[in-house]
Amino acid sequence: MGLINRLFGRQDHEPTFLLYNAVVLRAREPHWYLEGRVPDTVDGRFDMVAAVLSLVLLRMEDDHAQGAEPAARLAERFVDDMDNQLRQLGIGDITVGRHVGKMMSMLGGRLGAFRDGIAAGDIDGAITRNLYRGEAPDAPALAHVRSELLALHERLRAVPIPQIVEGHLP
């Protein structure tokens, strides 16, 4: 996190710091970009973070009593990170809010798409729209991403919310 956040109390010990870092690290694993052929670009990395974050948020939805507050904090951390990333890319104060708002909308769309796809037993449409911007990859790449995301979803279901909040992604 940036110097300003550290000066004004956004410390690394904040409850979702470890979890958000775990989400980003999971989203940056090379297999997504190599075997899965997710574009290794700024947009592709955002898409992958949003996909992993969506699965974590879906897990938190499953246990509203324990998951609601950490989910809200995790979403706030995502906003802070996206704001910081945009500023590092040179986006100015005047338009950064609009860009962050668009990213939050995109996260909400991905959350809904993965929620619906998992419920229907078919996440291929959500993957194609949200990780490949509508252009389906080759079958092995799609199969890899599908398999990995569904496996993560299943593993998350077996982990208690407090462990997830501590950054323990299975």
Side-chain angles (χ1 to χ4, degrees), residues 4 32 48 63 74 103 106 110 131 143 164 170:
I4 293 175
W32 299 116
M48 205 59 243
D63 186 346
L74 187 58
M103 289 176 162
M106 293 169 76
R110 283 157 173 76
L131 293 176
I164 292 172

Side-chain angles (χ1 to χ4, degrees), residues 1 9 11 15 20 22 27 29 52 60 70-71 73 92 95 97 100 102 109 113 126 132 143 158 167:
M1 301 303 293
Q11 301 293 325
Y20 188 73
E29 289 176 350
V52 173
M60 291 180 170
R73 286 183 181 248
T95 60
V100 170
K102 183 178 177 185
Y132 302 101

Side-chain angles (χ1 to χ4, degrees), residues 20-103:
Y20 188 73
N21 282 348
V23 166
V24 172
L25 287 172
R26 181 65 55 92
R28 289 298 296 143
E29 289 176 350
H31 71 90
W32 299 116
Y33 307 94
L34 298 173
E35 292 89 349
R37 303 219 184 272
V38 173
D40 194 4
T41 62
V42 170
D43 287 342
R45 290 186 296 271
F46 167 82
D47 293 339
M48 205 59 243
V49 168
V52 173
L53 181 59
S54 292
L55 295 180
V56 171
L57 292 171
L58 288 174
R59 169 61 182 104
M60 291 180 170
E61 279 183 2
D62 289 344
D63 186 346
H64 186 74
Q66 289 190 342
E69 189 268 336
R73 286 183 181 248
L74 187 58
E76 289 172 6
R77 182 160 295 275
F78 173 75
V79 168
D80 289 347
D81 185 40
M82 293 303 106
D83 182 275
N84 186 43
Q85 296 299 323
L86 288 169
R87 290 175 193 281
Q88 287 181 12
L89 290 171
I91 306 294
D93 288 339
I94 295 172
T95 60
V96 77
R98 181 172 44 89
H99 286 286
V100 170
K102 183 178 177 185
M103 289 176 162

